[in-house]
Amino acid sequence: MDWPVQIHSSFDGHDLDSTSKACLCDLGVQMGNRKALNRHRLPPDQPPDLAQIYDTIPIGLAFLSPDCRYLQINQRMTEICGIPVADHLGRSVRETLPRLAEQVESIVQSVIATGEPITGIEVSGERPDETGTDRFWTTSWQPLKAGDGTIIGVNVAAEEITHRKRTQAALAFANISRQTTMDAMTASIAHEINQPLAAVVTNATAGLRWLAHSPPNLDEAKMCLERVVNDGHRASAIVASVRGLFGKNTSERVRVDPNEIIREVLSHVHGDITNGNVALQTALAKKLPQVLADRIQLQQVLSNLVLNALEAMSEVADRERTLIVKSDRQEPDAVLLTLEDTGPGIDPAYLDRIFDPFFTTKAKGMGMGLAICRSIIKTHGGDLWASSKASAGTILHLTLPIA
């Protein structure tokens, strides 16, 4: 049976993609019967005939009957569907692509009911040869009309956009992750700066109380003001250090004595140690080699580790709260610093994860402090890791190469 065929194209120059697909659909109309194709076949010395073009064009093409059976399909469409040509022809979409059947049938019914093409519609689902992986296609649907206007089928043009969709999703996820990281980093930096600022307020308040005595205790007030100045400089140094960290600036690295850095940090947090009812013990090696480091960054790392230890012991009530800070040489060419606390310790399953960004065992916190500390030590050529004590508590180990 030969069907009289009416070709419909609607190229208006405004939507090249959808119009091109509509024209390709119209091209597929002519594949519905061989005589119609032969009328358009070119001589052998001319460009390829329509059958060759239809089969090799890089967009998937198919012709569906009103009951959604494949009457014609090109090679690209079979590649998109993952099913050979022979397994399509004469079979319904529900038989070949059951996971997409509902979407396809709905579109075909709409085209047949209205007689109007549908372009640029996205279809998604699993292929029969793949499980658990959604694919995405942008499609155009063109009605095929007989001479009397009766719709005898629908031509489909499909282009796979799975890679594009996955790339877009990956970019969106990367943007969200970057924003989350920046939010957490901002919170962590604010926490670091808040420490010396809180000390400023504490010492300034104490100084006012000494001045309010009758007579005023000027010596004590002076000592408080000196601590205010020192804490102010420490806050300023933290800001400069963070700026240097993000700029990967190593010009401020100088030879420093690790023991001196430890003493400075313990002096800064002396009030926290006292207020936490923590017994401090130190075992600092004599004649410890110097290391090449950014002094402020190293201070911040040690300060963060000490304050973490104090926080870990804040809930301990059945044993003495003790902080032990040690330094020693680690052969052949490094310095080893350790901080031991008598807190609840860390689950062995988490020891390798506590330095990961956003991982935290605390009820509050963003999980960025230890991640930043390790990052700083790594940029200095050292390492930072944790281990559990045999009794109770945690040991943090920090190594730095000798200058």
Side-chain angles (χ1 to χ4, degrees):
M1 173 181 178
D2 292 342
W3 288 331
V5 175
Q6 181 177 349
I7 309 288
H8 297 271
S9 290
S10 53
F11 179 70
D12 60 7
H14 295 294
D15 186 0
L16 184 57
D17 285 342
S18 59
T19 303
S20 298
K21 291 174 183 175
C23 291
L24 290 171
C25 285
D26 291 342
L27 174 62
V29 169
Q30 301 174 50
M31 307 308 297
N33 69 73
R34 185 55 56 185
K35 289 185 178 180
L37 173 62
N38 289 338
R39 287 197 299 271
H40 292 276
R41 190 180 300 279
L42 296 173
D45 59 341
Q46 295 300 311
D49 61 31
L50 294 179
Q52 291 173 305
I53 295 174
Y54 184 86
D55 199 45
T56 60
I57 201 160
I59 291 179
L61 299 174
F63 174 53
L64 299 175
S65 65
D67 61 350
C68 287
R69 291 188 179 277
Y70 289 96
L71 301 182
Q72 189 72 32
I73 190 168
N74 77 342
Q75 184 62 35
R76 178 57 186 150
M77 185 67 91
T78 66
E79 293 171 358
I80 289 174
C81 297
I83 304 172
V85 172
D87 292 339
H88 277 89
L89 297 179
R91 301 179 67 192
S92 70
V93 173
R94 191 163 289 278
E95 291 175 295
T96 54
L97 299 170
R99 295 182 179 89
L100 299 175
E102 188 173 340
Q103 297 178 71
V104 172
E105 289 171 352
S106 176
I107 297 170
V108 169
Q109 289 168 8
S110 177
V111 171
I112 292 176
T114 63
E116 297 296 327
I118 297 177
T119 61
I121 189 167
E122 187 176 298
V123 176
S124 63
E126 295 180 356
R127 290 184 1 174
D129 59 339
E130 296 178 338
T131 303
T133 301
D134 276 348
R135 287 179 174 265
F136 302 86
W137 302 270
T138 181
T139 60
S140 294
W141 310 73
Q142 189 85 1
L144 170 59
K145 298 179 180 179
D148 61 358
T150 303
I151 297 175
I152 57 178
V154 176
N155 278 280
V156 186
E159 180 182 5
E160 184 160 2
I161 56 171
T162 303
H163 178 71
R164 184 195 314 167
K165 295 284 288 187
R166 289 174 180 171
T167 300
Q168 291 172 346
L171 289 174
F173 179 77
N175 287 335
I176 293 173
S177 297
R178 182 164 52 250
Q179 185 60 52
T180 303
T181 300
M182 290 306 299
D183 292 344
M185 189 74 73
T186 301
S188 181
I189 292 171
H191 172 72
E192 295 295 330
I193 296 176
N194 187 60
Q195 294 174 17
L197 293 183
V200 166
V201 173
T202 299
N203 287 309
T205 302
L208 290 174
R209 286 201 299 267
W210 288 119
L211 290 175
H213 282 196
S214 182
N217 191 327
L218 298 182
D219 290 337
E220 291 290 347
K222 179 182 178 183
M223 290 176 60
C224 289
L225 291 175
E226 288 175 347
R227 287 195 290 269
V228 167
V229 172
N230 290 336
D231 290 325
H233 286 312
R234 185 155 67 101
S236 177
I238 291 171
V239 174
S241 178
V242 170
R243 186 167 57 243
L245 174 63
F246 285 104
K248 299 186 183 299
N249 181 11
T250 60
S251 60
E252 297 301 321
R253 292 184 185 175
V254 296
R255 290 175 177 268
V256 296
D257 179 358
N259 286 341
E260 183 180 338
I261 300 294
I262 291 173
R263 294 187 185 98
E264 290 173 351
V265 169
L266 294 178
S267 174
H268 289 318
V269 299
H270 176 74
D272 297 277
I273 294 174
T274 301
N275 294 335
N277 295 318
V278 175
L280 175 63
Q281 299 177 15
T282 59
L284 308 183
K286 296 181 179 179
K287 298 181 180 179
L288 195 65
Q290 291 184 325
V291 297
L292 191 65
D294 181 312
R295 188 182 197 90
I296 301 301
Q297 288 184 355
L298 190 52
Q299 284 180 341
Q300 282 311 114
V301 168
L302 291 175
S303 177
N304 200 312
L305 299 183
V306 170
L307 292 174
N308 278 351
L310 297 180
E311 183 178 354
M313 292 186 287
S314 62
E315 302 297 327
V316 172
D318 59 347
R319 58 185 176 275
E320 186 177 13
R321 302 174 186 177
T322 305
L323 175 65
I324 304 173
V325 182
K326 300 178 181 179
S327 67
D328 204 352
R329 177 164 183 162
Q330 185 181 58
E331 298 297 341
D333 54 5
V335 167
L336 173 65
L337 311 181
T338 59
L339 290 85
E340 303 180 24
D341 65 57
T342 56
I346 300 173
D347 188 323
Y350 297 150
L351 284 175
D352 292 333
R353 298 185 59 195
I354 60 173
F355 298 98
D356 293 342
F358 309 116
F359 180 84
T360 179
T361 57
K362 301 177 183 178
K364 298 180 180 180
M366 299 291 289
M368 288 299 295
L370 288 177
I372 294 175
C373 286
R374 174 177 270 184
S375 176
I376 291 173
I377 297 304
K378 289 283 189 181
T379 62
H380 282 73
D383 199 4
L384 176 62
W385 71 97
S387 64
S388 295
K389 295 178 66 174
S391 52
T394 303
I395 307 176
L396 290 169
H397 312 259
L398 187 159
T399 60
L400 289 168
I402 294 173

